[in-house]
Amino acid sequence: MKFSSLLTVSLVYITTVSATPSIGNVFCSNGHQAPSNTCCVWYDVLKDIQDLFQGICGDDAHDALRLAFHDAIGFSPALTRQGQFGGGGADGSIIAFGEVELEDPSNEGLESIVASEKVIADTHGVSYGDMIQFAAAVSVRNCPGGPRIPFLAGRAAAVAAAPEGLVPNPFDSATTIINRVGDAGLTPNDMVDLLASHSIAVQEHIDETIPNRPFDTTPGVFDTNFFLETLLPGKVWPGTHDNKGEVLAPFVEEFRLQSDFALARDSRTSCRWQSFIGQQSLMMQRFGTAMQKMALLGHNANSLVDCSVVVPAPTLPIPGVPILPFGLPVHDLELTCPAAATGGTSFLDGLLGLLGKLF
Ligand code: CA
Ligand code: CA
């Protein structure tokens, strides 16, 4: 890992938060067992995806997770109410109509994973919408600390490209982002929960002079460091300083998105943000739930088949509590969640007590 020297987590084994899905009683021709014949093919897909990911939490796995959000968020009931096509959500349109959707600057950098997943989906005759959400679940499972996300199969093929402009941008304000995801059916809490994904993410194209610069010091570990480190004051430009969507980072080894900075401090999202610091199990559980909700945008769960059992159970160590990098002081943290909004002083006191113990 490029920044392995910065790894600031302690790794401990704890019980995974996800319930174990039922293996079912259908015997597949490929030697596996599943709850439904629909699920059998996904074992073959899994092998190809893990070959692509090389079984690890690397660049392709990061891209697959990003792709899942960019496909699903292409869903706008507001446009539908205006008589326009509002997009099909998690329908695989970003693969099926890649020649259109990949022209959107918000989707820059997804070309390679779209091409790879298209080949695998076509090889096995599965829908692109299913392919994208399955690959995302596998990608998360490959990262230490990543929860086991349920997977439902049976999404129909996309009928058209998603309308332009539905993917939030890093230069959007907190209000713009909250309103956009709200239109799609996700709450501000859901948005924060989904942003746990930035714990295993890097930037590639916002500042092309420093590709793969991560959003936290542990991009190979699904931990709570992201929620902690984004609260440090911004001090440096890690690369060039005139990039749309970037704000000052706390140190040169890290990259900070304007949207992450804003949501970490906005009164509508800061309490949820702060609530994840040092709370690995809570973050895993809420991220998994939000991913399930996102994967169903544009779909009805009752018309899909639960193939969660095909996503392998995580086997990697789960991170412990985060530590502020480089010995930075805890009093530097820009904690904006008002204690009153969280039921008195207990939340903030508890948080500062936790941090005090940690640092
Ligand atoms: Ca879509
Ligand atoms: Ca991380």
Side-chain angles (χ1 to χ4, degrees), residues 163-181:
E164 218 181 323
L166 296 185
V167 182
N169 291 292
F171 51 82
D172 289 337
S173 69
T175 296
T176 298
I177 293 169
I178 287 169
N179 289 345
R180 174 71 275 283
V181 302

Side-chain angles (χ1 to χ4, degrees), residues 3 14 18 21 29 50 54-56 77 83 92 94 114 119 141 146-147 150 157 188 219 222 289 296 305 331:
F3 287 94
I14 61 173
S18 308
S29 60
Q50 288 292 44
Q54 299 179 298
I56 62 169
I94 199 166
V114 160
V119 169
R141 172 266 171 222
F222 189 85
T289 301
L296 289 173
V305 178
H331 58 71

Side-chain angles (χ1 to χ4, degrees), residues 7-265:
L7 276 175
T8 53
V9 293
S10 57
L11 299 177
V12 294
Y13 284 92
I14 61 173
T15 311
T16 179
V17 294
S18 308
T20 304
S22 163
I23 194 164
N25 53 14
V26 170
F27 292 91
C28 308
S29 60
N30 55 17
H32 291 281
Q33 199 171 335
S36 160
N37 280 317
T38 303
C39 303
C40 291
V41 68
W42 290 99
Y43 286 104
D44 300 327
V45 177
L46 173 66
K47 183 178 182 311
D48 285 359
I49 289 179
Q50 288 292 44
D51 285 347
L52 173 69
F53 292 164
Q54 299 179 298
I56 62 169
C57 181
D59 290 345
D60 286 313
H62 294 167
D63 288 347
L65 183 54
R66 180 174 173 231
L67 181 64
F69 179 71
H70 285 235
D71 184 40
I73 204 63
F75 184 64
S76 173
L79 284 179
T80 304
R81 285 192 294 274
Q82 294 164 19
Q84 301 175 49
F85 176 61
D91 61 350
S93 62
I94 199 166
I95 294 180
F97 300 95
E99 73 282 3
V100 176
E101 294 196 28
L102 293 175
E103 288 299 306
D104 185 336
S106 315
N107 290 330
E108 190 172 11
L110 291 172
E111 300 83 359
S112 173
I113 191 69
V114 160
S116 298
E117 290 194 15
K118 182 176 189 303
V119 169
I120 298 174
D122 290 346
T123 298
H124 297 285
V126 297
S127 79
Y128 298 143
D130 284 349
M131 178 74 217
I132 288 173
Q133 298 308 321
F134 182 69
V138 175
S139 76
V140 170
R141 172 266 171 222
N142 281 357
C143 301
R148 189 180 199 178
I149 299 169
F151 167 64
L152 307 184
R155 292 168 187 77
V159 296
E164 218 181 323
L166 296 185
V167 182
N169 291 292
F171 51 82
D172 289 337
S173 69
T175 296
T176 298
I177 293 169
I178 287 169
N179 289 345
R180 174 71 275 283
V181 302
D183 170 31
L186 301 174
T187 66
N189 281 349
D190 293 333
M191 186 68 241
V192 175
D193 299 353
L194 289 171
L195 279 169
S197 59
H198 282 188
S199 176
I200 47 171
V202 301
Q203 79 86 30
E204 293 176 38
H205 295 286
I206 295 176
D207 183 344
E208 296 195 336
T209 69
I210 47 168
N212 300 316
R213 195 60 54 101
F215 301 140
D216 75 2
T217 47
T218 54
V221 183
F222 189 85
D223 53 18
T224 71
N225 289 42
F226 168 73
F227 291 105
L228 176 65
E229 293 168 20
T230 43
L231 293 171
L232 285 164
K235 294 191 171 165
V236 295
W237 299 109
T240 57
H241 64 274
D242 54 354
N243 306 297
K244 199 175 178 188
E246 180 188 11
V247 294
L248 287 164
F251 31 80
V252 295
E253 291 82 359
E254 202 159 284
F255 192 92
R256 182 172 286 173
L257 297 176
Q258 181 183 327
S259 49
D260 288 339
F261 174 85
L263 291 168
R265 290 157 180 77

